[in-house]
């Protein structure tokens, strides 16, 4: 293969890996937002709850449904933070594999790596990162759906908590 083709392939693979890594940060941003909204909604509801002795059964149902779905939101977000994937071994790109080498061994391997090995490592890392992003998006999507469904129970719970709370 010609030198120009090698550089083009490596450049393309590096750009594709970078795009995958950028998607991870987008997922993290969404996760933070969803987490903040969920905790804020729970905190607000907790702050306006009337005394337990005046809770009717239907209000308890609303609270349990809201709490259960908020726990699901947090569970999905937690799961998105820890995707289950296997990194290709050994890798000169993935930080988890790089640290397994001492500095001299890493430098020796990096200097002796030819372009095909480097390209293979790039492509393998792109594939792993694609799996990570896909897994994260699945769980963030589930968290968003759970947040939406929990709102169906949260809004009436807030309304009725306000109605049940005596005015001071």
């Amino acid at each position: 293969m010609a030198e120009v083709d090698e550089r083009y392939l490596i450049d393309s693979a590096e750009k594709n890996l970078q795009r995958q890594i950028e998607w991870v940060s987008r997922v993290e941003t969404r996760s933070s937002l969803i987490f903040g909204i969920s905790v804020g909604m729970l905190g607000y509801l907790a702050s306006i709850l009337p005394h337990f002795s005046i809770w009717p059964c239907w209000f308890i149902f609303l609270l349990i449904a809201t709490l259960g779905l908020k726990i699901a939101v947090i569970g999905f977000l937690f799961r998105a933070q820890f995707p289950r994937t296997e990194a290709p071994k050994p890798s000169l790109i993935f930080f988890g594999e790089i640290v397994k080498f001492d500095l001299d061994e890493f430098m020796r391997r990096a200097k002796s790596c030819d372009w095909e090995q480097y390209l293979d490592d790039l492509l393998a890392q792109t594939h792993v990162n694609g799996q990570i992003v896909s897994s994260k998006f699945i769980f963030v999507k589930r968290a968003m759906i759970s947040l939406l469904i929990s709102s169906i129970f949260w809004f009436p719970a807030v309304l009725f908590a306000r109605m049940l709370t005596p005015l001071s």
Side-chain angles (χ1 to χ4, degrees), residues 89-94 96-109:
K89 297 174 180 114
S91 173
L92 297 175
I93 298 172
F94 179 59
E97 290 297 311
I98 290 172
V99 299
K100 293 179 182 176
F101 304 121
D102 64 32
L103 178 59
D104 292 334
E105 176 67 12
F106 174 71
M107 290 175 67
R108 185 189 66 73
R109 286 179 180 242

Side-chain angles (χ1 to χ4, degrees), residues 48-65:
I48 63 169
L49 285 177
H51 190 270
F52 178 75
S53 62
I54 62 170
W55 291 3
C57 289
W58 52 267
F59 184 68
I60 294 171
F61 168 77
L62 290 174
L63 293 177
I64 290 171

Side-chain angles (χ1 to χ4, degrees), residues 33-157:
L33 181 65
I34 294 166
F35 182 78
I37 291 170
S38 294
V39 170
M41 289 171 76
L42 276 178
Y44 179 71
L45 181 58
S47 73
I48 63 169
L49 285 177
H51 190 270
F52 178 75
S53 62
I54 62 170
W55 291 3
C57 289
W58 52 267
F59 184 68
I60 294 171
F61 168 77
L62 290 174
L63 293 177
I64 290 171
T66 300
L67 181 61
L69 287 161
K70 295 298 182 195
I71 290 170
V73 168
I74 293 168
F76 288 135
L77 293 176
F78 180 80
R79 182 63 181 87
Q81 296 302 311
F82 301 101
R84 296 180 188 164
T85 59
E86 290 294 321
K89 297 174 180 114
S91 173
L92 297 175
I93 298 172
F94 179 59
F95 67 92
E97 290 297 311
I98 290 172
V99 299
K100 293 179 182 176
F101 304 121
D102 64 32
L103 178 59
D104 292 334
E105 176 67 12
F106 174 71
M107 290 175 67
R108 185 189 66 73
R109 286 179 180 242
K111 289 176 181 178
S112 67
C113 180
D114 67 20
W115 75 270
E116 286 180 351
Q117 292 169 319
Y118 180 65
L119 180 60
D120 288 347
D121 200 359
L122 279 171
L123 295 173
Q125 288 303 315
T126 300
H127 186 262
V128 167
N129 277 278
Q131 290 174 323
I132 290 169
V133 171
S134 178
S135 174
K136 285 179 169 283
F137 263 107
I138 287 168
F139 286 105
V140 169
K141 180 179 177 182
R142 290 177 184 171
M144 289 172 64
I145 291 169
S146 297
L147 175 62
L148 178 64
I149 295 170
S150 74
S151 299
I152 294 169
F153 296 98
W154 181 82
F155 283 116

